[in-house]
């Protein structure tokens, strides 16, 4: 969808899905036959006009369960599906004449549903995939043969790259286990760290704070969100598991997704089975502030300063508008009073200027 267009009736393009070209061709033919008075043709199960309900070339054959835009090659989007495949799509080819070329690549390295996808933040050809076959894979998009895998203790629920340590890939699994690998040593299949983050609820999603190094958040089906400090978990000789820094019941039922607000280091949102979105403002959490405040990146600090300046300007603008409204109201009140005084004066003047009319006498009086 093109979000620059307000309330569009149709999407900009559709990647895969039902092939309606045969039905469109049949409709055009029948319109021409109807205009000439000929008998209309019916679509058979197969033949010249294709099979009804068929799929476009390159389409997924089951539900699409994951999507990931490539931030380096911005025309590329990856999709993971219940048909056990991962597909790469080039949206620049999504024109009527090049629809067959939209699906650039198809990978079949998973043996069960593909649940998670995550492009590397700086390497535009490196894609991480996770599936219900209890594996996490690294795929080089340039070659279908260059695939590396590691095993998980349970189905993969989520994947995330550490934005401040882009060599680190973290996975969350259904049994509540979090695992992190240095992808430079992915062949060893040995994680940097691994531990059970939520034994009873499982971990359904995780996210790294793009503005605060070492801050990670997970959510679970036990209705809680947990903050983690990973600063000492990615470097040094004594790598330790992330330290828990706070836990909160968000009050919106079982949680399935969580994410930090990209324009503020201290706001995160989550949602799930409760049909509601819940936000957590971390500025009010002093333990979190004491641990992470000094790590806020320069870009985030500039955003904070800009936000504060914008808030001050908005407040000053509101004050000016309030004063203008008050002055306007006073002016209008004064104008109404002056107008009423002028009307009263005019009425008095009119009364004084009027002459008494002579009485009308009857005839013959």
């Amino acid at each position: 969808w093109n979000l620059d267009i307000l309330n569009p009736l149709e999407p900009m393009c559709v990647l895969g899905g039902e092939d309606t070209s045969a039905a469109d061709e049949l409709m055009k033919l029948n319109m021409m036959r109807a205009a000439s008075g000929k008998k209309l043709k019916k679509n058979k199960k197969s033949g010249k006009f294709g099979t009804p309900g068929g799929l476009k070339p390159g389409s997924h054959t089951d539900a699409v369960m994951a999507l990931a835009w490539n931030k380096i090659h911005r025309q590329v989007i990856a999709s993971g599906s219940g048909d056990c495949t991962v597909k790469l799509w080039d949206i620049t080819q999504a024109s009527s004449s090049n629809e067959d070329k939209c699906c650039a690549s198809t990978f079949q390295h998973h043996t069960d549903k593909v649940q998670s996808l995550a492009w590397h933040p700086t390497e535009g050809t490196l894609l991480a995939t996770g599936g219900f076959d209890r594996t996490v894979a690294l795929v080089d998009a340039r070659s279908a043969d260059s695939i590396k895998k590691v095993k998980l203790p349970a189905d993969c629920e989520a994947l995330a790259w550490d934005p401040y340590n882009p060599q680190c890939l973290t996975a969350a699994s259904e049994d509540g286990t979090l695992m992190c690998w240095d992808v430079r040593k992915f062949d060893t299949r040995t994680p940097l760290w691994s531990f059970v983050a939520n034994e009873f609820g499982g971990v359904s999603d995780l996210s790294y704070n793009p503005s605060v190094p070492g801050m990670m958040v997970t959510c679970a089906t036990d209705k809680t969100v947990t903050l983690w400090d990973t600063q000492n978990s990615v470097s040094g000789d004594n790598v330790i598991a992330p330290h828990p820094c706070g836990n909160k019941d968000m009050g919106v039922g079982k949680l399935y997704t969580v994410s930090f607000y990209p324009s503020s280091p201290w706001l995160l949102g989550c949602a799930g089975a409760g049909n509601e979105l819940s936000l957590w403002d971390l500025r009010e959490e002093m333990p979190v502030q004491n641990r992470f405040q000094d790590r806020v990146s320069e870009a985030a600090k500039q955003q904070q300063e800009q936000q504060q300046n914008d808030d001050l300007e908005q407040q000053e603008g509101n004050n000016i508008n309030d004063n203008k409204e008050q002055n306007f109201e006073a002016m209008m009140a004064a104008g109404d009073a002056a107008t009423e005084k002028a009307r009263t004066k005019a009425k008095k003047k009119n009364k004084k200027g009027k002459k008494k009319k002579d009485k009308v006498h009857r005839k013959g009086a």
Side-chain angles (χ1 to χ4, degrees), residues 338-356:
T339 303
E340 187 64 28
K341 186 176 180 181
R343 286 178 180 173
T344 304
K345 188 175 181 181
K347 286 181 180 179
K348 290 181 179 179
K349 188 174 180 180
N350 289 337
K351 286 182 179 180
K352 288 181 180 180
K354 284 183 180 179
K355 294 181 179 180
K356 292 184 178 180

Side-chain angles (χ1 to χ4, degrees), residues 20-35 40-43 49:
T20 61
S21 58
D24 294 340
E25 188 68 25
L26 179 62
M27 182 180 67
K28 291 179 183 178
L29 178 62
N30 280 334
M31 289 176 65
M32 295 174 61
R33 294 179 69 86
L40 302 183
K41 282 186 173 289
K42 294 183 180 180
N43 193 8
F49 299 105

Side-chain angles (χ1 to χ4, degrees), residues 185 191-193 229-243:
K185 305 174 183 178
L192 284 174
W193 47 261
D229 185 355
T230 66
Q231 189 174 44
N232 298 322
S233 305
V234 294
S235 61
D237 297 330
N238 298 320
V239 176
I240 60 175
H243 179 73

Side-chain angles (χ1 to χ4, degrees), residues 14-19 55-60 89 99 102:
V14 178
L15 305 176
E18 185 177 355
D19 188 0
L55 297 175
K56 296 177 182 177
S59 299
H60 283 295
W89 305 85
E99 279 191 354
C102 285

Side-chain angles (χ1 to χ4, degrees), residues 139-201:
V139 179
D140 187 340
R142 296 168 296 185
S143 172
D145 299 327
S146 180
I147 298 174
K148 301 176 182 179
K149 285 185 180 183
V150 293
K151 291 292 292 183
L152 292 177
D155 295 346
C156 181
E157 292 290 342
L159 294 171
W161 295 92
D162 187 338
Y164 292 93
N165 297 281
Q167 76 277 9
C168 294
L169 173 65
T170 308
S173 56
E174 189 181 25
D175 67 345
T177 302
L178 288 179
M179 302 180 74
C180 180
W181 299 269
D182 185 336
V183 295
R184 298 172 297 184
K185 305 174 183 178
F186 207 65
D187 289 331
T188 66
R189 301 182 180 180
T190 303
L192 284 174
W193 47 261
S194 175
F195 70 101
V196 178
N198 196 308
E199 184 175 356
F200 302 104

